[in-house]
Amino acid sequence: MSRLHVKYRLFLFAAVVLAVSSVYSQAAQADDPLPSWNDVSSKKSIVEFVETVTTKGGPYFVPPAERIAVFDNDGTLWSEQPMYFQLFFVMDRVKAMAAEHPEWKQKQPFKAVLEGDIEAVMAGGKHALLELAMATHAGNTTEEFSQIVKDWLATARHPKTGRPYTEMVYQPMLELLAYLRANGFKTYITSGGGIEFMRPWTEKVYGIPPEQVIGSSIKTKFELRDGTPVLVRLPELNFLDDKAGKPVAINQHIGRRPIAAFGNSDGDLQMLQWTAAGQGLRFCLYVHHTDAEREWAYDRNSDIGKLDKGLDQAHKRGWTV
Amino acid sequence: MSRLHVKYRLFLFAAVVLAVSSVYSQAAQADDPLPSWNDVSSKKSIVEFVETVTTKGGPYFVPPAERIAVFDNDGTLWSEQPMYFQLFFVMDRVKAMAAEHPEWKQKQPFKAVLEGDIEAVMAGGKHALLELAMATHAGNTTEEFSQIVKDWLATARHPKTGRPYTEMVYQPMLELLAYLRANGFKTYITSGGGIEFMRPWTEKVYGIPPEQVIGSSIKTKFELRDGTPVLVRLPELNFLDDKAGKPVAINQHIGRRPIAAFGNSDGDLQMLQWTAAGQGLRFCLYVHHTDAEREWAYDRNSDIGKLDKGLDQAHKRGWTV
């Protein structure tokens, strides 16, 4: 308990393993809520934090209603390599919709997608990606889009592992989510990914219900179609939930400041800063991908999930690394 | 149970009484979860609905996670007469801030507010109200604004009753909120009022936590001030949570369709339509203000809380009135 005088702490959690339900024994799980955590120091810190804020009468006790924990998704709860999984969805949607759009064969960035030329797609930059996202995410109702995502997840497979994307989740983080909830925490996702892209599966995969998913979004419009109300998805960005947008979205959605935040990239820095600056004890953790053998190793120089400023801040402020 | 074959029902609940905690006996409350409900038919329908969707194994059972109930605030949970309470806040803020803004003495609509000329303020229409709202709601941090609201509520009094605004709430609706929650419902506010104006007090007054409050909002911006992160409130509308905006906001915030909705004006019509159109049994209720003696009576011709199209729809579709 010697370090509990510090207001908040940030840890870099190095070891991540992809979730395979059979890799750890059920017996071990019963005694230990975090059996897959090989990083002894990080694990000890988390348990210490949770025990401290849940100790009634203790100096750092936090009432259950205020035990808010926010998690980035891409690279924190599930993998983001070799590229964001939602981009695979975009590519597959372009191919599936190509028959209705013969003009795409001649039109960039669609042409590059149809030819499987990922490099050319990426060369188009943010503008090309936004155009692809709008073409594949808008023009349907919220219910139709939800079904499209579910259908895609049922058959799509990760190009390297051949596994469903919803199995490319990190076992230690699943344990952490369950451990926090067992201790009265409300767990939220705060992702740069699409809010409606995540909601159809986060409850089943992470135990996080739709109302606790925060993400980027496009605008929607209420319409009566033959007397039946629908929400139509429009090709217009509503909110980009990344970097300085994350604290804004957290405040908009939750209306109170989290006491724990978990991320893996510079896109999560402001969310961690916002969390750390609150009153009382706070817990912030960066998942640092260092295991090239079982997963991917990347940080400062990665196009996806770049962790550079976050590492600097950790070093500069003397946070535990 | 004879009417349970209908997919949804809408009731006009006529009798509302302002909450006074001593008007009903504690003994009565123990036996009856809705002791203040004088409208026998509405009360019976609500209890029947709740019992039906919570009966395990029954044809209309709804799992607890999906028991979402949404409530309008102004005119549904608390009073909205002689004008929206948030407008009183705006007027008081203009007066409190006037010393820092000597130019307001000569500038409309501020001049009218400072002279207490409500009619002149209203004559300025939506544009004037928006200008007043931005001047009084923006330019501070989220934490500062929350404190301003709390300070105002502590001293402000309703012009007719002389009571704090947070006591101008409807006792039957407080009972209904508690009754629904006791039956596993998650209760939300979906109001045209400001989300940050409501959050500081809804938990204490209604038992509704900040993350279950949906409302209109202005944009905010993340900033580091001397190294401390703050969210600055900008004089720019982010979202107007009224009419067709309500289903949009419900979807954005909750990500699933409510099974029960409660409103009192045409501003709630789309929210009720959206709720009613879902699968399974649904419950929609309009609070109809008819008691001029104990409260206010108004509907089709009211500037505030106009209920006109909603009544038409109820009649046209044969909803129970």
Side-chain angles (χ1 to χ4, degrees):
Chain A
M1 306 285 281
S2 61
R3 287 180 308 182
L4 284 179
H5 63 283
V6 296
K7 197 164 153 229
Y8 57 86
R9 290 165 296 163
L10 185 138
F11 298 92
L12 295 179
F13 164 51
V16 289
V17 290
L18 290 173
V20 181
S21 59
S22 57
V23 294
Y24 61 98
S25 79
Q26 295 298 321
Q29 194 184 22
D31 298 333
D32 178 356
L34 304 171
S36 302
W37 284 67
N38 298 321
D39 184 322
V40 176
S41 157
S42 296
K43 176 174 172 172
K44 187 165 169 281
S45 300
I46 287 174
V47 172
E48 190 179 84
F49 169 77
V50 169
E51 287 177 353
T52 304
V53 297
T54 56
T55 299
K56 268 200 174 175
Y60 294 102
F61 177 73
V62 176
E66 293 169 22
R67 292 179 202 157
I68 305 286
V70 289
F71 290 80
D72 170 55
N73 185 42
D74 296 304
T76 298
L77 295 181
W78 76 355
S79 174
E80 61 185 357
Q81 297 292 351
M83 65 180 186
Y84 296 126
F85 292 175
Q86 197 169 353
L87 285 182
F88 287 115
F89 170 76
V90 166
M91 309 281 174
D92 287 348
R93 283 302 297 159
V94 168
K95 289 168 194 163
M97 295 166 73
E100 305 158 37
H101 296 274
E103 75 279 10
W104 283 357
K105 278 186 189 162
Q106 309 303 329
K107 191 185 172 192
Q108 291 295 12
F110 303 96
K111 185 169 179 282
V113 173
L114 293 175
E115 291 168 353
D117 188 350
I118 306 290
E119 266 185 48
V121 175
M122 292 302 175
K126 278 191 182 175
H127 178 76
L129 291 177
L130 199 65
E131 191 176 352
L132 289 170
M134 293 307 162
T136 53
H137 285 65
N140 38 41
T141 69
T142 49
E143 299 203 330
E144 287 164 357
F145 184 73
S146 174
Q147 192 57 51
I148 288 168
V149 172
K150 283 181 202 162
D151 291 345
W152 179 75
L153 284 171
T155 57
R157 295 294 179 268
H158 188 274
K160 187 182 166 189
T161 67
R163 289 160 61 186
Y165 290 103
T166 47
E167 287 182 15
M168 299 286 291
V169 295
Y170 300 121
Q171 180 62 33
M173 300 308 279
L174 296 184
E175 293 167 10
L176 178 57
L177 287 169
Y179 173 59
L180 289 174
R181 287 194 293 261
N183 281 280
F185 279 75
K186 214 166 183 175
T187 52
Y188 282 82
I189 289 175
T190 315
S191 169
I195 189 168
E196 304 279 17
F197 176 73
M198 295 183 283
R199 280 173 162 167
W201 52 271
T202 55
E203 188 153 31
K204 195 176 163 197
V205 174
Y206 301 136
I208 296 180
E211 62 267 32
Q212 284 160 230
V213 176
I214 305 171
S216 297
S217 56
I218 57 177
K219 289 191 189 295
T220 62
K221 185 172 177 286
F222 178 85
E223 269 184 29
L224 287 177
R225 287 188 176 172
D226 300 327
T228 301
V230 292
L231 290 173
V232 181
R233 293 167 56 79
L234 307 176
E236 188 185 343
L237 190 67
N238 179 55
F239 189 80
L240 186 62
D241 187 31
D242 196 27
K243 298 191 173 72
K246 289 202 175 190
V248 168
I250 286 170
N251 182 63
Q252 176 72 8
H253 248 89
I254 310 179
R256 41 180 146 213
R257 203 187 291 238
I259 66 167
F262 304 84
N264 81 304
S265 79
D266 284 355
D268 305 312
L269 181 59
Q270 289 86 349
M271 173 173 86
L272 268 62
Q273 287 174 323
W274 176 245
T275 300
Q279 299 292 314
L281 201 65
R282 306 277 153 160
F283 191 89
C284 296
L285 183 144
Y286 258 130
V287 175
H288 190 190
H289 297 269
T290 57
D291 189 339
E293 198 172 316
R294 287 185 301 177
E295 208 232 357
W296 286 269
Y298 59 99
D299 48 36
R300 291 188 191 274
N301 299 312
S302 179
D303 286 335
I304 302 272
K306 181 174 182 170
L307 177 60
D308 183 32
K309 287 182 190 166
L311 277 178
D312 288 344
Q313 287 245 344
H315 293 146
K316 183 179 159 198
R317 301 193 173 213
W319 289 337
T320 305
V321 176
Chain B
M1 306 285 280
S2 61
R3 288 180 307 182
L4 285 179
H5 63 282
V6 297
K7 197 165 153 228
Y8 57 85
R9 290 164 298 163
L10 185 138
F11 298 92
L12 295 179
F13 164 51
V16 289
V17 290
L18 290 173
V20 181
S21 58
S22 57
V23 293
Y24 60 99
S25 79
Q26 294 298 321
Q29 194 184 23
D31 298 333
D32 178 356
L34 303 171
S36 302
W37 284 67
N38 298 321
D39 184 323
V40 176
S41 157
S42 296
K43 177 174 172 172
K44 186 164 169 282
S45 300
I46 287 174
V47 172
E48 190 179 85
F49 169 77
V50 169
E51 287 177 354
T52 304
V53 297
T54 57
T55 299
K56 268 200 174 175
Y60 294 103
F61 177 73
V62 176
E66 293 168 23
R67 293 179 201 157
I68 305 286
V70 290
F71 290 80
D72 170 55
N73 185 41
D74 296 304
T76 298
L77 294 181
W78 76 355
S79 174
E80 61 185 357
Q81 298 292 352
M83 65 180 185
Y84 295 127
F85 292 175
Q86 197 169 354
L87 285 183
F88 287 114
F89 170 76
V90 166
M91 309 281 175
D92 287 348
R93 284 301 297 158
V94 168
K95 289 169 194 163
M97 295 167 73
E100 305 157 38
H101 296 274
E103 75 279 10
W104 284 357
K105 277 185 188 160
Q106 309 303 328
K107 191 185 172 192
Q108 292 294 13
F110 303 96
K111 185 169 178 284
V113 173
L114 294 175
E115 291 168 354
D117 188 350
I118 306 290
E119 265 184 50
V121 175
M122 292 302 174
K126 278 191 183 176
H127 178 76
L129 291 177
L130 199 65
E131 191 176 351
L132 290 170
M134 292 307 161
T136 52
H137 284 65
N140 38 41
T141 69
T142 49
E143 299 202 331
E144 287 164 357
F145 184 73
S146 174
Q147 192 58 50
I148 288 169
V149 172
K150 282 180 203 162
D151 291 345
W152 178 75
L153 285 172
T155 57
R157 295 293 178 268
H158 188 275
K160 187 182 166 190
T161 66
R163 289 160 61 186
Y165 290 103
T166 47
E167 288 181 15
M168 299 286 290
V169 295
Y170 300 122
Q171 180 62 34
M173 300 308 279
L174 296 184
E175 293 167 10
L176 178 58
L177 287 168
Y179 173 59
L180 289 174
R181 287 194 293 261
N183 281 281
F185 279 76
K186 214 167 183 174
T187 52
Y188 282 82
I189 289 174
T190 314
S191 169
I195 189 168
E196 303 280 17
F197 176 74
M198 295 183 283
R199 280 173 163 167
W201 52 272
T202 54
E203 188 153 31
K204 196 176 162 196
V205 175
Y206 301 136
I208 296 180
E211 62 267 33
Q212 284 159 232
V213 176
I214 305 171
S216 298
S217 57
I218 57 177
K219 288 192 190 294
T220 62
K221 185 173 177 285
F222 178 86
E223 269 184 29
L224 287 177
R225 287 187 175 172
D226 300 326
T228 301
V230 292
L231 291 174
V232 180
R233 293 167 55 79
L234 307 176
E236 188 186 343
L237 190 67
N238 179 55
F239 189 80
L240 185 63
D241 187 31
D242 196 28
K243 298 190 173 72
K246 289 202 175 189
V248 168
I250 286 170
N251 182 64
Q252 175 73 8
H253 248 88
I254 310 178
R256 41 180 147 212
R257 203 187 291 238
I259 65 166
F262 303 84
N264 81 303
S265 78
D266 284 355
D268 304 312
L269 181 59
Q270 289 86 348
M271 173 173 86
L272 268 62
Q273 288 174 323
W274 176 245
T275 299
Q279 298 292 315
L281 201 64
R282 306 277 153 160
F283 191 89
C284 296
L285 182 144
Y286 258 130
V287 175
H288 190 190
H289 297 269
T290 57
D291 188 340
E293 197 173 316
R294 288 185 301 176
E295 207 231 358
W296 286 269
Y298 59 100
D299 49 35
R300 291 188 190 274
N301 299 312
S302 178
D303 286 335
I304 302 272
K306 182 174 182 170
L307 177 60
D308 183 32
K309 287 183 190 165
L311 278 178
D312 289 343
Q313 287 245 344
H315 293 146
K316 183 180 159 198
R317 301 194 173 213
W319 290 337
T320 305
V321 177

